[in-house]
Amino acid sequence: MKYDFLVVGAGFFGAAFSFAASEKGKKCLVIDRRDHIAGNAYTKEESGINVHVYGAHIFHTSDKRVWDFVNRFSEFNNYINSPIAVYKDELYNLPFNMNTFSKLWNIRTPKEAHDIIEKQISSLDIKEPKNLEEQALSLVGVDVYEKLIKGYTKKQWGRDCKDLPAFIIKRLPLRFTYDNNYFSDRYQGIPIGGYTRMAEKMLSPSEVRLNEDFLKIRGNDLCLSTGERIEYDKLIYTGQIDEYFDYSFGPLNYRSVRFETECLPEENYQGNAVVNYTDEEVPYTRIIEHKHFERAESPVTIISREYSSEWKKGDEPYYPVNDDENNALYEKYLSLSKKEENTYFAGRLGRYRYYNMDQVIAEALALADGLS
Ligand code: UDP
């Protein structure tokens, strides 16, 4: 059993890379220690609804190449993410836009909103934002920060906004138009039929083996659980970089998420796919109502409450915590990884970066571009 590539992880990096590599005549074996493909984008059909088992995944990109690529494997619907934020008994539109400001301050025009925000910002005197709190305050002022950012961020990251990197809040657009589209990308949608089916098609030219843990078989003469011995020229590793090196410098910090998923005997629970709970008192960060991603018709509905927690060994990692301390630790693992021959670390966990799906796919295609 000889392969050009052993790809560890059947998420979107592994799936996109192996497909692009196969188009160049390379033979790939993709393994995953879970019992399914598609990584954290995995969807599972229940009662006619595609459930985003590891949390909401909304595809958006401005990269035409990536958009054309994913459209080879699935048709996409025209879903536009427009989350609602609940703060105590108040309801707001996200991202921060004229609908939000109009509700907050009972105003109508962009000038009125600009004036209020400018006034709030000028009294703060922040020159160069050093952390998420300063970044948020200097972008949107105190009211938006206090009601829509502070509590949510604290719950999501388990850290004070002063102890988090500024870049995280820049993921959210700030607009002075009545536009509730959460993303500013050119292309957006949900693959009709779910992410699992899309990943399945991407993986179709490759051999895929599930329930195979690379970290266990590497010490076992590279034998799969079937007893087959495998050989390969190059390794693509999309798991946690610190785990690959046995946490030799200590573990990196990640955030994990626990989902409380329920099927309710009603058609429409919250009227929107994503509702964020931005005050600190509500223990979960958001509730996802899965059917609204695809306008699924079903007499029942499935909702998931998301609870964020600090990752510990044995948990599923979701988000890297890219503060200075962790980034410095990652650099040490990166140096080690450069000494690993014919091995490439990739994806959110391999690169320890807060990547979106499209960025992961763009990197996979770029890596495959370099193949002869
Ligand atoms: N955020 C916030 N309030 C919200 C939604 C997001 O303050 O209602 C902040 C929070 O710090 C979060 C970050 O924006 O971690 C990025 O949000 P995004 O929706 O991109 O997070 P993801 O969907 O990746 O969990």
Side-chain angles (χ1 to χ4, degrees), residues 60 157 166-173 182-184 319 348 354-356 359:
H60 57 99
W157 296 97
F167 84 89
I168 293 177
I169 204 65
K170 290 205 196 141
R171 289 170 63 84
L172 276 61
Y182 198 64
F183 303 114
S184 297
Y319 299 89
R348 207 185 248 212
Y354 195 172
Y355 278 143
N356 293 324
Q359 294 169 305

Side-chain angles (χ1 to χ4, degrees), residues 56 85 94 96 132 148-150 152-153 156-157 168-169 171-172 182-183 276 278 286 306 319 348 354 356:
L94 290 174
F96 315 127
L132 196 153
L148 300 178
I149 298 176
K150 195 177 170 183
Y152 187 95
T153 301
Q156 159 73 22
W157 296 97
I168 293 177
I169 204 65
R171 289 170 63 84
L172 276 61
Y182 198 64
F183 303 114
N276 291 0
T278 58
R286 55 189 170 193
E306 278 187 40
Y319 299 89
R348 207 185 248 212
Y354 195 172
N356 293 324

Side-chain angles (χ1 to χ4, degrees), residues 262-269 291 298-302:
E262 278 186 83
C263 182
L264 303 174
E266 60 187 291
E267 252 190 58
N268 189 359
Y269 173 73
K291 71 189 318 183
S298 173
V300 298
T301 194
I302 298 176

Side-chain angles (χ1 to χ4, degrees), residues 295-363:
R295 295 201 183 106
E297 281 179 28
S298 173
V300 298
T301 194
I302 298 176
I303 61 160
S304 300
R305 289 186 193 83
E306 278 187 40
Y307 296 84
S308 183
S309 61
E310 194 68 10
W311 173 88
K312 55 186 187 332
K313 283 180 198 173
D315 293 345
E316 292 290 356
Y318 285 75
Y319 299 89
V321 181
N322 289 111
D323 57 15
D324 292 345
E325 208 175 306
N326 279 289
N327 286 345
L329 184 54
Y330 166 71
E331 287 299 323
K332 290 169 86 172
Y333 284 113
L334 182 65
S335 309
L336 267 190
S337 75
K338 287 185 178 147
K339 292 183 200 136
E340 292 283 292
E341 269 177 43
N342 295 323
T343 303
Y344 190 88
F345 291 82
R348 207 185 248 212
L349 302 176
R351 300 292 302 278
Y352 197 64
R353 285 199 198 152
Y354 195 172
Y355 278 143
N356 293 324
M357 287 181 283
D358 66 322
Q359 294 169 305
V360 159
I361 291 174
E363 288 216 351

